[in-house]
Amino acid sequence: MAQTTTGQEDPRSLAYALRNGKMNRRAWTITGMLVVLQIIAFADRAVLGLVAPSAIAELGMTTTQFGFIGSSFYFLYAVIAVVTGVLASKFSVKWILFVLGLTWALMQFPLLFGGGAAALLVTRIILGGAEGPATPTSLAAVHSWFPASRRALPSNLVAIGSTLGPVIAAPLLGFVIAVWGWRWAFGVLGILGLLWLVAWLVLGKDGPYAPNARSASPTENDKTKSTDAPESSAYTWFDTQTQVPIFKALLSGTFLITAFGVFTNFWTMGFLTTWLPQYLKVSANLTIEQVGIVTVFPWLFGATVLLVLGIISRQLMRKEKSVRQAMGAPYSLTLVVGGLGFVLATQTSGVMAIVLLTIAAGCSIIYPMGAAMVAYIVGMKQRPIVMSVLGATGSLGAIVSPVLVGWLMENAGYRPAPAGTVQTAEMVSRMVTGVNQSFLIAGLLLLVSGLLGLAFIRPDRTAKKLQGSVTL
């Protein structure tokens, strides 16, 4: 083995290049697998909105009752997310993701085989509990394959998977519903989940930066683990942080303001996955196939936003800018844009309203970027916990918004049309009134969280302050 005069492996050697190249390929393969996992997870969430017109009519539910089922997805979300975060700091993430994925797949089949409203409620609660840890655990897994300065882009690629889920699921499941009925939408997702599990058994693995990969902090010799050029000294210290009292990290201004931003992200996702297809079908009188196409617009725009933000963050980190500059400011500015879009959407109609809704929703479903950003305030072993608690607190937004939107529509006088009938113009107008009220609430929440983020999200300063409190 070629070595330098200090006894370290020469980074110009063939052995180093081959080893680093192999690690690089494995890291991006794992990243790709996790992107697919996010696609499946968010397709699972989007399916409820797509089956809403058929399920509401067949199962005889009101909009408030259906909104409650939409919210039920998040009843166990927070609890299981936190528990899994603790487990991920101690055990193999590969097997945690396998158990979660198996649960997702199995929970699809009761509806395929004839379950009613009670089965829909129970399976959504269990499914939500198992999917709660999906994003933070996926981010913990991808972080285990990349050094600190190179996590922004792969993190955002995993985040893009969450937006591509509905993009891919909407037209696919819209076709399935039209041809085979709404129950088969759940069956198709269950089968896809089982196929992913087989691939993960073969390819899944924890990376060299996993919390339990080694007890010692990274050294120069760890450069053989890098997936790119050697780690920048400006970011190396993030992986060498001493463990801190976790409550101090969770009560820091950076965490609390980010949690509020994530709350608004989940608020929007709760509406998109539960009510957007129904809203488009009724207000624009679209077929289920057309709804499947139009529904993808906000998610596709959100994927583009996340990709652009990931590239911007990567470039700024290469220039050794702070995490606040590279991730905090772009994240917060994007929430401000989303908030303005929702507020303006209430004042327009037709094509312009759809355009504004697309921009607003796309800019407000960037939760994984908040999780990746706040992970920098603690060391490797505590990151899964911090990211999981962040998702758990944020998920409260998705518990409230589906029920609130359903209630606002009912309060405006909207009632779903019986099966086989068409909504009257008066009922369409009442639905739009209720939904516009929810848009205004979402817009104001996003604006406030974005402005607070610009002022108070400072991951670098928070990390240094927490480390200082340990040494005192």
Side-chain angles (χ1 to χ4, degrees):
M1 179 185 295
Q3 293 184 331
T4 64
T5 55
T6 60
Q8 298 167 355
E9 185 177 5
D10 188 347
R12 296 168 297 179
S13 70
L14 177 60
Y16 179 93
L18 290 174
R19 184 179 295 109
N20 200 43
K22 182 178 180 181
M23 187 68 70
N24 185 51
R25 289 191 299 273
R26 187 63 179 268
W28 287 109
T29 297
I30 296 296
T31 301
M33 289 288 297
L34 295 171
V35 170
V36 174
L37 179 66
Q38 288 292 101
I39 290 174
I40 295 172
F42 277 77
D44 288 348
R45 303 183 195 200
V47 67
L48 189 65
L50 293 168
V51 304
S54 302
I56 288 175
E58 182 176 324
L59 303 179
M61 290 183 287
T62 66
T63 55
T64 300
Q65 290 170 337
F66 191 77
F68 179 79
I69 290 178
S71 297
S72 71
F73 184 89
Y74 297 93
F75 288 176
L76 293 179
Y77 194 103
V79 175
I80 304 300
V82 173
V83 171
T84 305
V86 174
L87 293 175
S89 67
K90 302 177 182 296
F91 302 104
S92 169
V93 173
K94 171 182 176 176
W95 293 109
I96 291 175
L97 287 173
F98 179 83
V99 172
L100 294 176
L102 180 62
T103 305
W104 307 349
L106 295 179
M107 284 301 102
Q108 305 297 344
F109 294 111
L111 270 299
L112 173 62
F113 297 127
L120 181 59
L121 175 64
V122 172
T123 55
R124 295 307 287 182
I125 292 174
I126 298 174
L127 185 64
E131 288 194 1
T135 298
T137 308
S138 294
L139 288 171
V142 82
H143 285 188
S144 76
W145 285 95
F146 294 87
S149 66
R150 289 168 175 82
R151 289 175 188 151
L153 182 58
S155 294
N156 274 36
L157 290 176
V158 170
I160 287 171
S162 66
T163 62
L164 290 180
V167 169
I168 295 172
L172 171 63
L173 297 182
F175 172 79
V176 169
I177 293 168
V179 176
W180 295 321
W182 65 273
R183 293 184 183 277
W184 262 104
F186 294 96
V188 168
L189 290 175
I191 293 169
L192 291 175
L194 293 176
L195 291 175
W196 183 88
L197 286 171
V198 174
W200 184 247
L201 275 176
V202 176
L203 299 173
K205 185 180 179 182
D206 293 346
Y209 293 93
N212 12 319
R214 63 191 302 173
S215 57
S217 58
T219 66
E220 278 298 305
N221 286 332
D222 290 332
K223 290 176 184 177
T224 60
K225 300 186 301 187
S226 176
T227 62
D228 208 332
E231 169 75 317
S232 164
S233 59
Y235 295 96
T236 302
W237 76 275
F238 283 109
D239 280 346
T240 63
Q241 293 181 77
T242 305
Q243 292 192 57
V244 300
I246 197 66
F247 74 91
K248 289 188 176 182
L250 301 180
L251 292 177
S252 66
T254 291
F255 181 87
L256 292 175
I257 299 302
T258 304
F260 182 39
V262 169
F263 174 89
T264 67
N265 298 159
F266 273 88
W267 183 285
T268 302
M269 283 192 286
F271 166 77
L272 290 177
T273 56
T274 305
W275 287 117
L276 180 62
Q278 172 80 343
Y279 171 70
L280 291 173
K281 185 177 187 301
V282 172
S283 63
N285 194 27
L286 302 178
T287 66
I288 186 63
E289 294 92 340
Q290 291 169 331
V291 168
I293 295 173
V294 177
T295 300
V296 308
F297 293 164
W299 298 99
L300 194 57
F301 186 78
T304 304
V305 169
L306 281 167
L307 179 60
V308 171
L309 290 177
I311 293 172
I312 290 173
S313 298
R314 180 181 176 88
Q315 292 302 113
L316 290 174
M317 283 186 160
R318 281 181 169 176
K319 296 179 181 179
E320 299 193 350
K321 299 295 184 180
S322 66
V323 179
R324 167 181 165 77
Q325 293 171 307
M327 301 180 75
Y331 173 80
S332 301
L333 282 171
T334 304
L335 296 186
V336 171
V337 173
L340 289 173
F342 273 123
V343 172
L344 293 174
T346 65
Q347 306 303 311
T348 59
S349 60
V351 175
M352 181 54 67
I354 292 177
V355 170
L356 288 171
L357 176 60
T358 296
I359 294 172
C363 287
S364 59
I365 51 177
I366 56 173
Y367 145 62
M369 187 174 183
M373 173 179 64
V374 81
Y376 283 90
I377 70 175
V378 292
M380 290 187 292
K381 285 188 175 295
Q382 293 183 304
R383 277 180 199 144
I385 301 173
V386 168
M387 289 191 290
S388 295
V389 173
L390 182 75
T393 54
S395 70
L396 297 175
I399 292 178
V400 176
S401 68
V403 175
L404 179 64
V405 174
W407 180 82
L408 287 172
M409 288 192 293
E410 278 197 14
N411 192 57
Y414 171 74
R415 299 293 182 271
T421 62
V422 179
Q423 287 286 10
T424 64
E426 181 184 3
M427 283 298 167
V428 172
S429 177
R430 291 178 178 180
M431 168 184 262
V432 171
T433 298
V435 173
N436 276 343
Q437 291 171 351
S438 73
F439 287 167
L440 183 60
I441 294 171
L444 293 175
L445 287 172
L446 286 161
L447 278 171
V448 172
S449 66
L451 293 173
L452 288 174
L454 287 171
F456 298 110
I457 291 179
R458 301 173 183 272
D460 317 79
R461 180 184 296 182
T462 299
K464 291 175 182 178
K465 184 177 179 180
L466 289 171
Q467 290 301 298
S469 69
V470 173
T471 58
L472 292 179

